[in-house]
Amino acid sequence: MIKKGVRYSLIILLIGIATVLPRYNYGHIQAKEAWKIESNKLDNKFTVKSGPQMGEKVKVYDGTIEKYNGYYYLMGTGSRGHVYRSKDMIHWESAYELISDDPSTLPPYADGVYPRYGASDLFFHNGVMFYGFNGNNLVHGDPSTINNTPDFRHSFWEQKFDLGIDLQFFVAHDGELLYLRKVNPFEPDPNTGAAKSFDAGAWMWKVKSFFNEKGSEGRSPAQELIHTQKGHWASFDKFNFEGQEMYYDNGQYYLLYMGNNMAPRTGLYETGVAQSDHYDTFDNSSKYPGKLIARNLEEMILKYDVILPTAEHGYQTYDYTFTEPDGNWQHANYEPTDDWKSGQGGFGFPLKERNVLIRSIYNDGEENQSNIWGSPNGPDNIWVRREFQLDSVPETTALRLRVEGYGKVYVNGQEVHQQQGQQRSYQMIEVPSEFLHEGDNVVAAEVSTIGPEIMYYHVDFGLYDTNGKPVEADIVGPTQPNVIKGPNGFETWVTYKALWDGDNGQGKDRVYFWGDEMVVDGPTSTHSPDKHFDAWQPTFQDRFDSESSRSAYTNHEGIIMKDQTLEIQTPNGVNEILLKHYEIENYFLETNIKFDESNFGNKAQAGVTVWYQDEENYVRLFIDRDDRRYIIVYAINGEVTVEKNSLPDTFEFLHSDERASDFGEQYHTLKVYKNGSKLFAELDHYKLNNDEPVLELVEMSTPGMVGFVGEEANYRMDNVSLTIGWGEYGKYFNDWDKEWNTTEQGLQSPSDGEALTVKGDPMREYEFSVNIDTESLPEQGKAGIVLEYINDQNYVVAYTDYAKNQFKIYQIKNGKETLLDVASTARETIYGNANFDKGLDQKEYVYDLRAPAEVSQVKPLWLYGKYFLPNWIDREFKLPDPNSPNLGIDNWNSESGQWDSLDFSYDWTGRGDYHIAKFDNSIVSEKLRMNVPSIINRPFSFAVREEISAQNFYKTVRTSGKLYMWVNNELIFEVDDPFKNRDTQVGLYTDNLEATFNSFTGFDISDRPFDRKVKNNN
């Protein structure tokens, strides 16, 4: 099992409301280039884009998302049984009631929490829409009613479905049905009923049906997957552990989870992930050392220059008074009177939230509540000041603050913030440059408890030079994740709840796989750096909203436009309906099939034409309604082959449970991924053929038409989408030059000379990404990607130059090579300690780097202050003595199998900022160890400056006359497209270097229908 530190990063989504529309013809207005880039910019949080709630935020705070028949459905805590709907995960419609919260409709055992319908999972399976929610309870509904008059019913009237919370329904790659939930610390062992260890954990059952309740014979014995660990970052301030989300991708299972106190004021509620090659082989060693989605404070401190730290990582020195001061106390030239004290801040009361200490409250060490501002018996008002000096005024300055109460904040006497009431988390505010000056400056605040009573009072702030970057929102508590495919079938997204500048809501970010490591590019906000695009839409989509849909297809025989669906009757023989203009080799196609419940047809076979050249050369994939099979029929030069395969044993078109006996036929989603000679298929949540290709056929490694097909069947098609593109991983590589070899690690380049290989359907605009690993750190050579390729005289290439520690991007135009841009390969990556199993009493912290790298320095950000929770943690952390002989850093020597001590200089920066340990000479490392003098010295965050690394995840987006290129989710290049408006391919590149390429994704994002017959490359 690979365990990796995870850097926190991000992205998001978009759609169209087709009759038959190319991607950006949303609302029948053709996009312009500048508008396209700006409109497709990711902008968390979710907001309602239509209906009576238009402009409001989506009120889901612990949600679930499911896609069914072309729509995404989102609901959970905050929506009280109402659901939001979207065609594209961007444009959310106003919420409507899916499940009633009327007390007269609830089961007898329902308590006050029941009708919140939160901590939930919405899941379509076997013709039923299941909704499990807090407590744990179950509702089921008729999917055909979900958009009109929803028919959802409480599945259990006399008893609850289960114990615990945070349930999930899941279909494994082999067709097993899995039910997961959190088992609480005080809950007995689910198998024996006896007391168990004091842990919260994610447990799993195999079930025969998702109706199987606690104690049912349809459930297997429970299996604990992962649980809390003292000293692990996710179990640090509390034994909380919840929100597990299982996800499968390319032969690997991922189990997302979250931990620590969920209260935003304590700030440590974040998301992690574990990884395993099978759903039943998880344990605590499967956890990644680092966080998958973390608050962005530690990243901001790393990117910004800290002028004044906040008290979140240790107290800060404040001047304060409880007596109203005279004079210009908000200004830098103020002379404090005797009423002012200098002491440890921030300030506030209560000291805890959900029994956990709030990290930023120090109150100058005062324990007598009558002397604590904000306490019931304490002073009503507080005035605070923090002075600082500037050698020059920053281009952009950010004030970070959390003020709760009634008051104002000033910079050099200028009001910058006014607070009226609660503020559950910190907020980032840009300070106008004219408010600052060289020399002495001050941030000051006055805050009162006089006003409508609130639960918490607080004041703390810090100041940062953003180094010219826009001021990001503070993002805290990114948790309760749901992982789902985007509208085009290639992108993977994670939705989650968080607070953006103190305002809670629902957001989403892009998920990538660097090799098989799951990485989230987030959390993000409107002003997050590195340019984040929203969800790209399918190349083509048809919702059959009008008769104009007919014009997109070659054959109109036997088809009727009815109720905004395509009704197809094929009483005799085969009826094939092909999509015009699309002759392609690689793509994702999704359609939804519903058989006529009064008459399926004599054979009742319907599906898709995967590849069509002529009547003697084609591939068809049928779903057989009567015999529960999928059938592949292909012809090569007139010779027809038929392959019949059973659908998974647990799949049903209609659920056999009597509680769904009055439900009619439902739409079932058929998805196909064609990559050259390989065809993968999915039906609803099932991976057909256990996620192995359902067909491998060399002859179909050429362009062909796609469409729908039926044989003696009566059925409907709805919400069709097609995206040109391909994904490759593991051993499934094809159409690359034969000199490039497939290994267990991926596609390997030749080691000698310059090697360039391209593939894929030529596209006008697209995204392409791949993970590149050279295994060891080369001293020379080049490895990268081909961003555009027309021919060997016209292309664009970008690569890592290992001899010069540089990224470079070149264009070759009419055979002439031109350097477009160059950038340093240096980056700073936050890693988690890999030996987290050692618990709280550690004095050694091991950090596994993602790959061998040249390292020049490391930056620890230290824990500081009291952490206390009965029976869990009771420790006061301090900064280490920088002169202690026991403070050290070691490098792992794989040849000797020993640790080598490193020489370094140490830059001590106090509390709230990264300290810097600079090595006397750069080292090549794959593993580092931080040694500390005492168990009260503990790194909270650990950043490594990698001058160059053997691992690089390359991504490019070609759109609107621009080429963008990222490495490890950091935007490196933005250049003008030298081959604008010309169809090009993408590919791989090395020069005198053997490199391994894996986890490929390439897909079309153009705003025009694709037509291979249009050639404009001359």
Side-chain angles (χ1 to χ4, degrees):
M1 170 52 56
I2 299 173
K3 305 190 199 75
K4 300 165 181 166
V6 178
R7 180 168 180 138
Y8 326 128
S9 319
L10 186 142
I11 301 185
I12 294 198
L13 298 76
L14 190 116
I15 269 192
I17 47 172
T19 300
V20 180
L21 295 179
R23 177 179 295 100
Y24 290 99
N25 202 357
Y26 194 94
H28 307 286
I29 301 173
Q30 190 64 34
K32 301 296 183 182
E33 289 180 356
W35 177 89
K36 177 177 177 179
I37 293 175
E38 187 62 27
S39 68
N40 205 40
K41 182 180 178 181
L42 176 61
D43 185 13
N44 275 325
K45 310 174 288 282
F46 289 8
T47 55
V48 179
K49 299 298 176 67
S50 64
Q53 301 155 18
M54 184 173 179
E56 298 179 11
K57 70 177 178 183
V58 170
K59 296 175 182 176
V60 175
Y61 312 118
D62 181 353
T64 175
I65 188 168
E66 173 73 321
K67 187 179 184 184
Y68 176 69
N69 191 19
Y71 286 90
Y72 291 93
Y73 297 90
L74 176 71
M75 61 188 302
T77 303
S79 71
R80 292 194 67 90
H82 287 62
V83 66
Y84 296 86
R85 190 181 75 161
S86 174
K87 297 176 180 179
D88 56 10
M89 289 181 72
I90 300 172
H91 300 86
W92 292 96
E93 302 170 7
S94 292
Y96 61 92
E97 184 178 273
L98 191 72
I99 310 167
S100 174
D101 62 356
D102 184 337
S104 67
T105 67
L106 305 181
Y109 57 82
D111 57 15
V113 176
Y114 190 101
R116 295 178 188 173
Y117 299 118
S120 53
D121 193 30
L122 183 68
F123 194 79
F124 174 80
H125 185 251
N126 289 352
V128 175
M129 190 66 76
F130 290 92
Y131 187 70
F133 56 100
N134 46 270
N136 270 322
N137 301 286
L138 186 65
V139 166
H140 66 282
D142 182 346
S144 67
T145 69
I146 196 169
N147 293 326
N148 300 305
T149 54
D151 178 8
F152 277 71
R153 310 164 186 181
H154 300 274
S155 307
F156 296 88
W157 195 255
E158 300 298 333
Q159 62 182 14
K160 291 180 63 172
F161 173 63
D162 203 354
L163 302 176
I165 198 170
D166 288 342
L167 78 178
Q168 184 191 9
F169 308 113
F170 191 82
V171 178
H173 78 286
D174 58 5
E176 285 281 2
L177 306 186
L178 308 178
Y179 166 70
L180 298 90
R181 71 168 175 88
K182 171 188 176 180
V183 172
N184 287 304
F186 302 99
E187 189 177 335
D189 186 295
N191 290 322
T192 66
K196 61 174 181 59
S197 60
F198 186 75
D199 290 312
W203 290 61
M204 179 186 75
W205 290 255
K206 294 179 183 178
V207 297
K208 295 180 180 178
S209 164
F210 292 129
F211 278 114
N212 292 153
E213 75 279 17
K214 178 180 180 290
S216 165
E217 293 182 357
R219 285 194 186 185
S220 72
Q223 177 185 348
E224 185 180 55
L225 302 180
I226 54 178
H227 59 77
T228 50
Q229 293 173 277
K230 285 188 178 181
H232 185 266
W233 67 261
S235 313
F236 202 75
D237 70 358
K238 198 170 185 178
F239 45 81
N240 190 33
F241 185 92
E242 58 189 13
Q244 74 284 323
E245 168 81 358
M246 184 173 281
Y247 187 73
Y248 172 84
D249 186 84
N250 296 342
Q252 294 290 305
Y253 280 87
Y254 303 88
L255 190 61
L256 286 70
Y257 62 91
M258 65 225 61
N260 289 320
N261 187 30
M262 65 178 64
R265 292 178 178 87
T266 57
L268 300 184
Y269 195 40
E270 296 168 310
T271 298
V273 66
Q275 179 183 337
S276 183
D277 58 7
H278 200 269
Y279 52 79
D280 61 5
T281 56
F282 282 100
D283 59 29
N284 276 349
S285 68
S286 308
K287 296 175 184 176
Y288 287 10
K291 304 166 187 177
L292 183 69
I293 319 175
R295 67 181 185 182
N296 65 344
L297 170 61
E298 284 69 39
E299 282 279 7
M300 287 194 292
I301 296 175
L302 195 60
K303 291 179 295 191
Y304 296 169
D305 290 336
V306 178
I307 301 172
L308 292 174
T310 64
E312 293 160 283
H313 287 292
Y315 74 81
Q316 302 300 322
T317 301
Y318 279 79
D319 291 335
Y320 70 97
T321 181
F322 303 131
T323 303
E324 183 172 3
D326 295 327
N328 58 348
W329 64 273
Q330 309 100 324
H331 293 261
N333 57 1
Y334 176 70
E335 292 291 338
T337 63
D338 292 341
D339 292 329
W340 287 85
K341 298 180 181 179
S342 179
Q344 300 176 6
F347 302 87
F349 192 87
L351 309 181
K352 299 179 180 180
E353 186 173 22
R354 289 181 175 265
N355 297 317
V356 173
L357 290 168
I358 297 172
R359 301 280 8 106
S360 53
I361 297 179
Y362 285 87
N363 290 324
D364 200 14
E366 183 63 60
E367 296 182 358
N368 185 343
Q369 290 191 15
S370 63
N371 296 325
I372 295 177
W373 169 75
S375 72
N377 301 318
D380 291 331
N381 303 286
I382 190 171
W383 290 261
V384 297
R385 291 167 42 87
R386 294 182 70 187
E387 294 186 346
F388 60 97
Q389 287 194 328
L390 293 175
D391 293 332
S392 61
V393 175
E395 180 182 344
T396 306
T397 305
L399 176 66
R400 177 180 174 82
L401 55 83
R402 185 163 75 82
V403 176
E404 296 195 87
Y406 306 91
K408 299 176 181 180
V409 181
Y410 307 88
V411 173
N412 290 331
Q414 301 292 323
E415 183 181 324
V416 293
H417 179 73
Q418 186 173 126
Q419 184 68 32
Q420 296 291 317
Q422 304 279 207
Q423 184 181 326
R424 298 171 66 201
S425 65
Y426 283 77
Q427 180 178 355
M428 301 291 285
I429 297 172
E430 183 171 351
V431 178
S433 296
E434 59 269 25
F435 288 9
L436 299 165
H437 48 255
E438 295 180 7
D440 294 334
N441 294 260
V442 69
V443 180
E446 54 181 328
V447 195
S448 176
T449 63
I450 300 173
E453 185 176 354
I454 57 179
M455 294 179 63
Y456 289 86
Y457 297 94
H458 183 272
V459 59
D460 179 47
F461 49 76
L463 199 69
Y464 305 88
D465 176 354
T466 73
N467 292 309
K469 298 179 176 66
V471 176
E472 298 179 56
D474 174 74
I475 308 172
V476 69
T479 51
Q480 301 296 343
N482 291 269
V483 186
I484 193 166
K485 283 292 185 183
N488 69 12
F490 288 104
E491 293 179 312
T492 306
W493 293 87
V494 59
T495 64
Y496 58 90
K497 74 168 187 175
L499 288 91
W500 284 264
D501 279 340
D503 185 22
N504 60 342
Q506 190 78 15
K508 65 183 186 292
D509 285 315
R510 187 77 175 273
V511 178
Y512 296 97
F513 296 92
W514 298 1
D516 62 6
E517 179 191 356
M518 177 181 275
V519 178
V520 172
D521 187 19
T524 60
S525 65
T526 303
H527 296 301
S528 293
D530 300 318
K531 193 175 290 293
H532 304 274
F533 287 110
D534 217 316
W536 299 110
Q537 298 308 298
T539 306
F540 167 88
Q541 48 189 329
D542 195 350
R543 295 185 179 273
F544 306 109
D545 294 338
S546 74
E547 286 291 329
S548 64
S549 288
R550 291 174 175 269
S551 64
Y553 306 98
T554 59
N555 175 21
H556 300 167
E557 183 179 347
I559 66 173
I560 302 171
M561 301 296 299
K562 187 175 182 179
D563 300 328
Q564 296 187 344
T565 67
L566 189 69
E567 184 174 272
I568 305 172
Q569 296 179 349
T570 311
N572 301 304
V574 174
N575 186 15
E576 197 158 42
I577 305 165
L578 300 175
L579 190 59
K580 295 178 181 178
H581 309 304
Y582 292 85
E583 295 182 31
I584 48 181
E585 182 179 348
N586 312 285
Y587 62 85
F588 165 77
L589 175 66
E590 177 179 320
T591 188
N592 297 273
I593 304 171
K594 178 181 178 181
F595 289 91
D596 187 329
E597 50 192 320
S598 62
N599 180 11
F600 299 157
N602 292 331
K603 286 192 173 181
Q605 296 173 3
V608 295
T609 296
V610 172
W611 175 76
Y612 180 92
Q613 288 194 322
D614 53 44
E615 293 183 358
E616 294 191 340
N617 294 275
Y618 58 81
V619 176
R620 297 166 180 157
L621 172 62
F622 293 95
I623 301 299
D624 187 327
R625 175 65 178 85
D626 284 335
D627 295 331
R628 293 184 67 260
R629 300 179 298 189
Y630 67 95
I631 302 171
I632 297 173
V633 180
Y634 62 89
I636 302 299
N637 298 325
E639 183 175 339
V640 178
T641 302
V642 180
E643 298 180 357
K644 298 180 179 180
N645 306 273
S646 297
L647 292 171
D649 291 341
T650 56
F651 174 83
E652 295 178 300
F653 286 95
L654 289 176
H655 210 291
S656 57
D657 192 282
E658 63 179 8
R659 282 166 283 196
S661 60
D662 59 336
F663 293 1
E665 285 289 318
Q666 306 293 339
Y667 281 101
H668 293 273
T669 304
L670 178 62
K671 303 176 184 178
V672 295
Y673 290 86
K674 181 179 178 295
N675 178 22
S677 64
K678 295 177 175 62
L679 178 67
F680 294 82
E682 300 176 16
L683 186 60
D684 295 335
H685 290 286
Y686 287 87
K687 310 283 187 183
L688 300 186
N689 197 31
N690 295 342
D691 202 32
E692 298 285 330
V694 296
L695 178 67
E696 294 191 61
L697 187 66
V698 173
E699 288 82 355
M700 69 176 181
S701 291
T702 56
M705 299 180 73
V706 298
F708 317 130
V709 65
E711 183 169 8
E712 297 186 32
N714 301 315
Y715 60 100
R716 291 188 182 192
M717 291 278 189
D718 198 9
N719 293 318
V720 173
S721 64
L722 171 74
T723 305
I724 301 164
W726 42 274
E728 292 182 318
Y729 64 94
K731 60 186 178 182
Y732 298 118
F733 302 100
N734 51 257
D735 293 345
W736 299 100
D737 288 352
K738 61 182 180 181
E739 291 82 8
W740 292 62
N741 298 316
T742 298
T743 70
E744 291 184 0
Q745 288 72 41
L747 188 67
Q748 195 170 78
S749 67
S751 58
D752 298 325
E754 190 174 48
L756 184 152
T757 181
V758 299
K759 72 166 281 183
D761 301 274
M763 296 179 285
R764 187 72 53 86
E765 296 189 321
Y766 46 78
E767 176 182 308
F768 172 58
S769 61
V770 61
N771 193 67
I772 307 173
D773 196 332
T774 58
E775 191 173 356
S776 60
L777 186 65
E779 294 183 359
Q780 58 184 8
K782 304 166 185 175
I785 63 172
V786 181
L787 289 76
E788 299 179 292
Y789 185 88
I790 297 173
N791 53 45
D792 62 4
Q793 298 295 300
N794 294 276
Y795 60 92
V796 176
V797 63
Y799 54 77
T800 307
D801 186 336
Y802 283 94
K804 297 186 177 180
N805 287 18
Q806 291 179 332
F807 296 121
K808 294 178 179 177
I809 182 169
Y810 280 90
Q811 75 172 32
I812 291 82
K813 200 166 188 177
N814 298 324
K816 182 181 179 180
E817 182 178 275
T818 303
L819 177 65
L820 298 179
D821 205 352
V822 63
S824 169
T825 57
R827 61 184 178 231
E828 292 183 327
T829 306
I830 295 175
Y831 288 102
N833 69 294
N835 59 334
F836 54 80
D837 58 325
K838 303 302 181 183
L840 284 169
D841 296 333
Q842 290 183 248
K843 292 200 291 185
E844 297 176 347
Y845 295 88
V846 176
Y847 300 90
D848 291 331
L849 276 58
R850 192 165 272 120
E854 179 187 338
V855 178
S856 60
Q857 59 184 243
V858 298
K859 297 182 177 182
L861 176 65
W862 297 99
L863 269 174
Y864 190 92
K866 180 76 170 178
Y867 283 76
F868 175 76
L869 188 70
N871 301 317
W872 194 252
I873 186 172
D874 183 4
R875 183 160 298 168
E876 185 157 358
F877 292 95
K878 302 287 187 180
L879 301 186
D881 178 359
N883 299 313
S884 170
N886 296 318
L887 180 66
I889 303 171
D890 301 331
N891 185 30
W892 178 250
N893 188 324
S894 58
E895 292 184 1
S896 66
Q898 295 180 341
W899 291 100
D900 295 336
S901 179
L902 299 173
D903 295 326
F904 61 92
S905 60
Y906 192 82
D907 186 1
W908 194 90
T909 56
R911 296 169 296 276
D913 197 358
Y914 283 93
H915 295 206
I916 303 173
K918 297 179 182 178
F919 301 129
D920 293 353
N921 297 291
S922 292
I923 59 166
V924 174
S925 179
E926 60 186 40
K927 182 185 298 189
L928 293 164
R929 183 173 69 182
M930 186 94 195
N931 305 307
V932 297
S934 168
I935 60 173
I936 65 171
N937 309 134
R938 188 180 185 97
F940 179 92
S941 183
F942 189 84
V944 178
R945 181 176 173 86
E946 300 168 323
E947 300 298 333
I948 193 166
S949 173
Q951 177 276 333
N952 294 285
F953 179 78
Y954 272 73
K955 187 186 83 168
T956 184
V957 168
R958 182 190 185 206
T959 184
S960 304
K962 293 286 187 181
L963 282 174
Y964 302 94
M965 199 198 80
W966 295 257
V967 177
N968 284 21
N969 292 343
E970 294 185 14
L971 184 63
I972 304 298
F973 297 128
E974 178 181 343
V975 299
D976 291 334
D977 183 353
F979 302 113
K980 180 181 175 182
N981 296 328
R982 300 176 72 178
D983 291 341
T984 63
Q985 293 177 288
V986 294
L988 316 173
Y989 174 83
T990 60
D991 188 2
N992 285 313
L993 181 62
E994 185 178 86
T996 301
F997 298 74
N998 209 331
S999 300
F1000 302 77
T1001 306
F1003 53 84
D1004 171 63
I1005 62 169
S1006 64
D1007 56 7
R1008 65 179 177 87
F1010 183 81
D1011 188 349
R1012 287 185 59 87
K1013 297 177 182 179
V1014 177
K1015 300 295 183 183
N1016 52 12
N1017 287 334
N1018 297 323

